[in-house]
Structure formats: C-alpha cells, structure tokens
Amino acid sequence: PLERTLCETLVNTGCRISEALSLHKGSIDVADKQVVIESLKKRKPGVFRAVPVAPTYVARMAAVHGLPATTDSPTPLWPWHRTKAWQIVKSAFEIADIHGPWATPKGLRHAFA
C-alpha cells in the first residue's frame, strides 16, 4: 500500500520524487481534496502549490496513511530515500509492462503536465 500511494501521488500531482518524499499528513487536505506541495526548484524555501486531486486518491491516502492528520507532525508519509523511491517507481513500470525512455518518475511528471 505504501508503494502504491507513492506512485499514485506522482501520477496525480506531477510532483518530483523529492517533493513527494517531503509530504507529511498535514500536506494532504482531505476536506478540499488537494495536496499542498513545497516546490524544491524555486531556489527559495516556502514556495507552495496546491494541486487538486480525485476523491478516490484522497480516500486511499486516508486509508493507508491515517488521514486527516491528528497532529502537525512533520513525519514523512514514506520512510524511503530518493534512490529507494526511484526503484519502487521503476519496478511499478516493469510490473505494468511499460518500457521506453518515459518509463521513469520524470516521465510521470511530464505525463501529468
């Protein structure tokens, strides 16, 4: 379930792996059905964007990660580093029998755009 929610977050938000790995329970707004992501490419901290997401995505995130947040804990939703997360996404492409140059986390970002 954790691997699935990571992949779904990349697909549904178009965020970078590092941005996804920095998400915590407070980043998912269950009521407004959006994910609030801190941009890591703006050259300054504190630049956020809210991405609307589907109710089914929010429901899965709530079930797997125990949302909505009961505390303001900055504990990340996923316990992995970038390399492990990249391997998880790559493995998901292999399981889905998707190959080619865009079968990467960056490919998901471009597909979202």
Side-chain angles (χ1 to χ4, degrees):
L2 287 178
E3 293 176 359
R4 179 178 178 152
T5 59
L6 173 65
C7 292
E8 286 185 352
T9 297
L10 297 174
V11 168
N12 286 294
T13 65
C15 68
R16 297 170 176 86
I17 283 185
S18 295
E19 292 171 338
L21 293 176
S22 70
L23 295 176
H24 50 85
K25 289 183 179 185
S27 302
I28 313 294
D29 187 342
V30 175
D32 291 336
K33 295 177 181 50
Q34 61 185 10
V35 178
V36 179
I37 302 167
E38 183 173 14
S39 178
L40 299 178
K41 290 289 188 168
K42 296 297 182 188
R43 297 193 176 137
K44 59 182 176 180
V47 177
F48 294 89
R49 66 184 185 278
V51 180
V53 290
T56 52
Y57 167 79
V58 174
R60 184 169 348 276
M61 291 296 286
V64 173
H65 297 283
L67 303 176
T70 54
T71 65
D72 290 335
S73 171
T75 303
L77 294 173
W78 299 282
W80 310 304
H81 295 285
R82 291 182 70 248
T83 304
K84 175 65 176 171
W86 193 90
Q87 291 169 346
I88 289 167
V89 174
K90 209 51 179 156
S91 175
F93 277 115
E94 289 175 13
I95 291 168
D97 198 29
I98 299 172
H99 305 283
W102 295 108
T104 64
K106 186 175 181 178
L108 291 176
R109 182 171 171 76
H110 285 263
F112 176 81

